[in-house]
Amino acid sequence: MRNWLKTVASLLLVVCMVMGMAVSFAEEAAVDTYTYRTATTALGNNWNPHTWETNADQSILDNYLSTPFVTMSILDSENGVYQWVYKMATSVTDVTKDHLDDLTKYNVTLMDGTTLETTEAGYVYEIALNPDAKWEDGTPINADSYITSMKYLLDPEMKNYRANLYYAGESAVAGGEAYYYSGSTAYLDNNPSGGTAVYTMDALVKDEEGFYNTADGAKVYVATTDAMGWLGGNALADYVGAYGEAYFGMDGYNALVAAADENGRVRLNDEALANIIATITAVADWGEDESCAPNYFVYTKDYPVVDFDVVGCYKVDDYTIRYVNATYIDINYFLTSLTSTWLVYEPLYTAGFDTTGTLKTTNYGTSMETTMSYGPYKIESLQADKQMVFTQNENWYGWTKNEDGTLTSTTNFLVDGEYQPAYQTTSVVIDVMDEAAMKQAFLKGELTEWTPLADDLATYASSDQMYKVDETYTMSFFFNTGVEALKTMDESKGNQNSVVLSNIDFRKAFSLAIDRAEYVTATEGYKPAFALMNNLYFYDVYNDPTSSYRNSEPAMQAVCNLYGVEYGEGTPYATLRDAYLSINGYNLTEAKELMKKAHDQLVADGLYVSGEPIHVRIGWAKGALTSADNKQLELMNKYINAAASEAGFGTITLEAIGNITDRYGDVPAGEYAIGYGAWGGAAFYPFRNMQVYCDTDQYEINEAGCWDPAAEMLTLNVNGEDVEMSWKDWSGALIGSGRYAAADFETKLQVTAQMEELYLKKFYRIPLAGTTLPSMLSYQCSYYTEDYNIMYGFGGLELMSYNYTDAEWAEYVASEGGTLSYE
């Protein structure tokens, strides 16, 4: 079909040439246009790189209005080889060994076991800037532009939302945190993970005024409106507002509110302590006692006043800056961080300042008038909640202006050995419409792309214009296995005998009973998943495109160990890979045996009465349940009952609940015993993946109702040596300043695979399916390559080509009667 369409386009051109005598001069001189039309249910409304929040915001910023320092593109499409491509930078160089003084000056944290004398790379990077780069109005972009923008990004008076990418994390700039919090007091959650409180009452000290402080003098407060890890990211006020006196002591709560400051916080003294205890213990169904009070505390951390010169991002000359990373970072990971920037246009940024609130804000990047592009396109028109139009930004460095006034571009890098036409798209139109309207618009030729809903996927599954891209997200069941929490859910949350989930054999049996090959048929695009990470995770992709974590020996062995599959002499499988590829996660025989074992133990422990029915509500979806959700649920009920039917359990009913604001927080908070959701992202960082399950500082652990990874110890064998650390410490040991951050890949693979295996053996989380992202592409366009690569996709908008001009496309759609067939 695609080749046929290209032939039609060629024939149309031939016809035009043959009929040239009849074409007017004006028509001959008309400029060809190529419009990319897309749609969304809601337009982005904030593409300020310092504060954007939604995917729609980011799409506008990244695809049209900005250009990164570097990006990835195709080097060899036939063999799937990528290359780094310089854009707003002309080079990025590791200059650490020549600037070790910067490590001291900016208080860099060195990796464990290293010193300045042994450090040669991984901290200081020099970025040479593109001297041809300009803003949409022609103003040059230079080193001062970047340094000034970084100062605004980290401005302590603004507390910009996206500053966290630069004051924390692997690519944090040295001194960024100190400047961001300069002269301010941070209020830190006393139980950010929802597990164990940082400070218990025994650890606090009462001062002369009767207030409690930490041993090092930090003030402690009872928090009523702060988001708390103990409450799954919600505030006490949220819960009291939702449930009132049904669960809370209102006299105690009202006393707290009356004493609170403008931020809803009350200095902790004996009176405040008594009031929070009275609030959470008045109703037995809430299930808390006075020992839980510290879970509602916040404590202070004071930062001294500092100037921006503490930040390790500085100008070398007019077109060179240096970036000092707060911790060690490999150059390829640093380049990855440079695929987006912090650049803003100072005159518009400052013109939009508003200082009437507690924090200084700006309206930069929230309208056409407050936006200045430095990308290939600029905003031509914007109708709020209706339409956004982009046209070519004539001052973008990549355009060539032709004699006829048109703008064209060619890659500044070789693709398959040649310089290729780039950004053939002359304009982009984003319309707001509902999902049903999008489908009709696509079939009428009015949209260039369309993402089919689940019910449409089967219809277009075999279409040449259907593209399915694997995602890193793994859909899983995650649990709250706490016995007391489960008892409370059985008493007051609509469950019956959900306490059986506290038994590890029950959860393992549940996992083995799931026929994942059948389960994924309930939803188009799902693929079976048996572990936490899928085939998209690469541990050395920058140097070795074949370095799949999942296909490494340690990772394959971990999955074989998890499912008890052996290989070698006397087994059905000759090699480790043969054994690994045989795994489907399904073993009903073993599941039945485990269910019987679980039943007997639960009865013996007095947690379950043989034969009684079991009903478990699952926090399933943020929105309403779909037909696919119902199909999945039907299969799950079939699987678990098939495993449990002969074990002595009564009928098991799993109930899916939709329209949940925060199912990820509600499970550890004790609202649901099971949640259904996914983790994904960071495909090139498999060695940090375990942090989402273990690092209670950076993440709200979904399984916080099961364990405290900061307290539970883990012994791993690393290169023949047994090493003990907490699960939390292990999860960060391979990155940043961690103990094994500079270790070789074989060591890191050993550690990651062991952690993945041992974590999965807890069955706090059961992997079910990997997700894919399906999309349809109009006949008007073609991707550069049909073979998707995680490093560069299909070539992106930059390398996309058009089979029809806008005029030719309109003629073609009309010739098809105004409706196109993509089946």
Side-chain angles (χ1 to χ4, degrees), residues 357-431:
T358 303
L359 294 173
K360 181 167 64 177
T361 61
T362 179
N363 65 359
Y364 181 77
T366 58
S367 67
M368 180 176 171
E369 294 74 23
T370 61
T371 299
M372 187 67 69
S373 173
Y374 64 101
Y377 301 96
K378 62 183 180 181
I379 302 175
E380 177 70 17
S381 64
L382 172 59
Q383 301 176 64
D385 301 321
K386 186 175 182 181
Q387 186 187 74
M388 198 169 189
V389 178
F390 301 87
T391 55
Q392 293 168 311
N393 170 17
E394 62 273 13
N395 279 315
W396 181 59
Y397 72 87
W399 294 123
T400 296
K401 191 168 186 177
N402 304 308
E403 292 183 1
D404 62 359
T406 59
L407 299 173
T408 56
S409 182
T410 303
T411 59
N412 64 342
F413 52 93
L414 297 176
V415 180
D416 292 328
E418 299 180 4
Y419 294 105
Q420 301 288 346
Y423 292 108
Q424 189 177 358
T425 299
T426 53
S427 61
V428 178
V429 178
I430 305 176
D431 284 307

Side-chain angles (χ1 to χ4, degrees), residues 24-45:
S24 71
F25 176 82
E27 288 173 321
E28 286 183 315
V31 175
D32 290 337
T33 60
Y34 303 92
T35 303
Y36 193 89
R37 298 174 176 86
T38 186
T40 180
T41 55
L43 282 176
N45 55 23

Side-chain angles (χ1 to χ4, degrees), residues 606-797:
L607 295 175
Y608 178 72
V609 176
S610 185
E612 285 193 349
I614 298 168
H615 185 109
V616 183
R617 298 166 76 247
I618 301 175
W620 195 280
K622 183 175 183 178
L625 298 181
T626 65
S627 59
D629 293 326
N630 291 325
K631 290 177 184 177
Q632 293 170 28
L633 182 67
E634 181 181 348
L635 289 172
M636 281 298 168
N637 274 294
K638 180 180 79 170
Y639 299 146
I640 196 168
N641 279 287
S645 60
E646 301 171 9
F649 291 110
T651 301
I652 301 175
T653 302
L654 304 176
E655 179 189 2
I657 308 297
N659 294 312
I660 303 172
T661 301
D662 180 19
R663 63 191 185 280
Y664 295 101
D666 284 349
V667 172
E671 291 295 312
Y672 301 97
I674 307 176
Y676 185 42
W679 275 113
F684 309 148
Y685 298 83
F687 302 132
R688 65 180 287 187
N689 186 269
M690 292 303 299
Q691 285 190 308
V692 301
Y693 310 102
C694 303
D695 192 330
T696 54
D697 291 335
Q698 294 196 56
Y699 299 94
E700 294 176 357
I701 306 301
N702 297 165
E703 300 77 18
C706 303
W707 70 323
D708 180 3
E712 186 170 323
M713 303 304 290
L714 172 66
T715 299
L716 299 180
N717 187 276
V718 184
N719 297 323
E721 178 187 3
D722 286 343
V723 181
E724 184 182 56
M725 285 191 272
S726 71
W727 279 84
K728 176 182 176 181
D729 289 342
W730 272 116
S731 73
L734 308 181
I735 60 176
S737 59
R739 180 171 179 175
Y740 296 102
D744 55 46
F745 287 125
E746 183 58 35
T747 299
K748 290 184 175 183
L749 287 168
Q750 288 178 29
V751 171
T752 303
Q754 287 180 80
M755 289 193 73
E756 184 182 29
E757 174 191 341
L758 295 173
Y759 177 76
L760 284 171
K761 283 182 174 178
K762 291 177 176 291
F763 295 94
Y764 292 157
R765 195 173 196 94
I766 297 177
L768 301 172
T771 64
T772 63
L773 183 64
S775 64
M776 298 283 289
L777 184 67
S778 162
Y779 292 135
Q780 186 184 8
C781 299
S782 292
Y783 290 126
Y784 179 84
T785 178
E786 298 283 304
D787 299 317
Y788 176 80
N789 186 292
I790 193 171
M791 306 299 279
Y792 51 71
F794 298 106
L797 188 66

Side-chain angles (χ1 to χ4, degrees), residues 10 97 280 283 303 315 386 476-477 552 635 661 712 789 808 813:
S10 299
K97 66 180 179 181
I280 63 176
V283 179
Y303 288 82
K315 173 182 176 180
K386 186 175 182 181
S476 305
F477 281 150
S552 70
L635 289 172
T661 301
E712 186 170 323
N789 186 292
E808 292 167 349
V813 173

Side-chain angles (χ1 to χ4, degrees), residues 176-228:
E177 178 182 342
Y179 185 65
Y180 179 82
Y181 285 114
S182 174
S184 67
T185 298
Y187 292 82
L188 306 179
D189 186 351
N190 193 41
N191 191 351
S193 70
T196 302
V198 177
Y199 296 105
T200 62
M201 285 303 303
D202 291 342
L204 302 180
V205 179
K206 187 187 294 187
D207 63 22
E208 294 179 354
E209 299 178 23
F211 294 114
Y212 289 95
N213 305 296
T214 66
D216 54 2
K219 297 176 182 177
V220 180
Y221 294 76
V222 176
T224 63
T225 58
D226 290 82
M228 307 299 290

